[in-house]
Amino acid sequence: VMDRPGVYVLSRDLTVRSGDAILVTSDAVTIDLNGHTLSTRSAGVGRGIVVRGARGVVVKNGRVGEFQTNVSGEGTENLT
């Protein structure tokens, strides 16, 4: 859970078994995938990045894939 503003940088590929991988609940968060991939072992299931009630969230510089929904915004503004 990313519940504080800031820049979060992946240092390696990240794979989850199933379900959601990353939850963002804070404004002003940047997720820098740093050229890495966020993925799931259960293709077509879960969400890669869930942004809930946050503003000004940026996801950049990598790949999110094979989830049912790769990036999901719920009550969010300015998600890029």
Side-chain angles (χ1 to χ4, degrees), residues 2-66:
M2 296 177 178
D3 59 359
R4 295 177 190 228
V7 177
Y8 298 83
V9 181
L10 261 65
S11 59
R12 61 181 172 85
D13 289 347
L14 179 63
T15 302
V16 297
R17 283 188 181 193
S18 65
D20 300 338
I22 295 174
L23 173 62
V24 179
T25 59
S26 174
D27 294 345
V29 167
T30 296
I31 301 171
D32 184 348
L33 298 174
N34 197 26
H36 296 287
T37 299
L38 177 63
S39 62
T40 180
R41 291 185 181 159
S42 302
V45 176
R47 299 171 292 181
I49 299 173
V50 180
V51 181
R52 186 174 297 145
R55 291 179 280 185
V57 176
V58 175
V59 179
K60 65 180 187 174
N61 196 22
R63 183 177 177 276
V64 180
E66 310 246 354

